[in-house]
Amino acid sequence: EDQVTQSPEALRLQEGESSSLNCSYTVSGLRGLFWYRQDPGKGPEFLFTLYSAGEEKEKERLKATLTKKESFLHITAPKPEDSATYLCAVRHVGGYNKLIFGAGTRLAVHP
Amino acid sequence: DGGITQSPKYLFRKEGQNVTLSCEQNLNHDAMYWYRQDPGQGLRLIYYSQIVNDFQKGDIAEGYSVSREKKESFPLTVTSAQKNPTAFYLCASSMGQADTEAFFGQGTRLTVV
């Protein structure tokens, strides 16, 4: 069964304390892995797309990496404004464009 | 500005009523989607449409209906058959190729009163 699992469910960091969020997936034939940021009461905001193992993407304090079974979202020296829920999603071969989402990681960065 | 507009932001429904959520996009995207988000759960796909006048059921289509008469519009009707409709509803669109990202609207929060 196609599945996306994110860990941890929640993460509390002090400002400047770097960490990583995990997204593990089991799908047949990955067509893309997507990271989104979601603020409370808002729609998800697109961050990154990764297509193949070994690929990396960076944006400000965020860096996403991909292996054959999982992706990591590394947050370097986070600031309070990085507090949000981070969602991971995958598309797979034969999935008819369907995005399969994980439950997300709620990140809180305290000053 | 290009984007996806959902309306209304908040919607209250009495039991037994049908309600329609609006979703409009000006990104010239072929594919559009409706997701439902409940606390502590990932987004779940309700319906999606690859092209005008065509749509497919997602994982939780029971109690919902859609139409795709125009490329820009993909309204969702929550019918009285949906037993637990209180949720946050998100509309998204993408270019249609299977490896492109989807962009989301700001959501509609539906509450049954």
Side-chain angles (χ1 to χ4, degrees):
Chain A
E1 181 185 346
D2 300 324
Q3 199 166 1
V4 178
T5 303
Q6 292 188 246
S7 61
E9 287 187 17
L11 182 62
R12 178 190 170 114
L13 298 174
Q14 290 297 123
E15 184 172 3
E17 179 187 3
S18 301
S19 188
S20 297
L21 313 182
N22 177 262
C23 171
S24 63
Y25 60 91
T26 52
V27 295
S28 52
L30 183 71
R31 289 294 299 270
L33 185 141
F34 307 87
W35 281 99
Y36 290 86
R37 170 193 169 126
Q38 186 177 26
D39 293 303
K42 300 286 180 67
E45 174 190 346
F46 169 71
L47 293 173
F48 303 110
T49 306
L50 301 166
Y51 293 108
S52 56
E55 190 174 359
E56 300 182 351
K57 295 272 180 75
E58 283 189 72
K59 180 181 180 180
E60 297 180 355
R61 294 176 293 283
L62 301 177
K63 179 179 174 181
T65 62
L66 181 65
T67 72
K68 288 188 177 180
K69 294 186 177 181
E70 57 190 350
S71 176
F72 292 93
L73 185 65
H74 307 278
I75 303 176
T76 301
K79 297 182 178 182
E81 53 262 42
D82 294 322
S83 298
T85 295
Y86 291 85
L87 300 171
C88 170
V90 300
R91 275 212 183 100
H92 64 96
V93 173
Y96 302 102
N97 264 342
K98 174 179 160 181
L99 275 171
I100 304 170
F101 279 86
T105 293
R106 295 190 310 279
L107 174 65
V109 182
H110 297 269
Chain B
D1 284 337
I4 302 171
T5 302
Q6 291 187 240
S7 62
K9 187 174 175 67
Y10 300 97
L11 187 57
F12 297 90
R13 190 195 93 170
K14 292 182 180 179
E15 291 203 23
Q17 279 185 338
N18 293 354
V19 291
T20 297
L21 284 59
S22 170
C23 178
E24 303 277 334
Q25 55 98 359
N26 61 3
L27 299 168
N28 199 33
H29 284 169
D30 288 312
M32 296 187 74
Y33 317 81
W34 275 105
Y35 285 88
R36 170 180 171 142
Q37 189 174 34
D38 295 284
Q41 295 192 40
L43 278 66
R44 292 182 291 166
L45 183 64
I46 304 172
Y47 268 98
Y48 62 104
S49 169
Q50 305 270 56
I51 197 169
V52 174
N53 292 323
D54 185 50
F55 49 82
Q56 289 79 38
K57 292 182 179 180
D59 299 318
I60 56 166
E62 184 175 350
Y64 300 97
S65 66
V66 293
S67 63
R68 186 85 188 277
E69 297 176 2
K70 298 188 298 181
K71 186 176 185 177
E72 303 80 19
S73 179
F74 192 40
L76 173 74
T77 297
V78 184
T79 74
S80 57
Q82 170 50 237
K83 299 306 178 188
N84 185 22
T86 295
F88 190 48
Y89 290 87
L90 288 159
C91 178
S93 71
S94 70
M95 289 184 65
Q97 290 91 343
D99 54 355
T100 58
E101 59 271 14
F103 295 92
F104 284 83
Q106 290 303 294
T108 293
R109 185 165 300 280
L110 173 63
T111 304
V112 174
V113 295

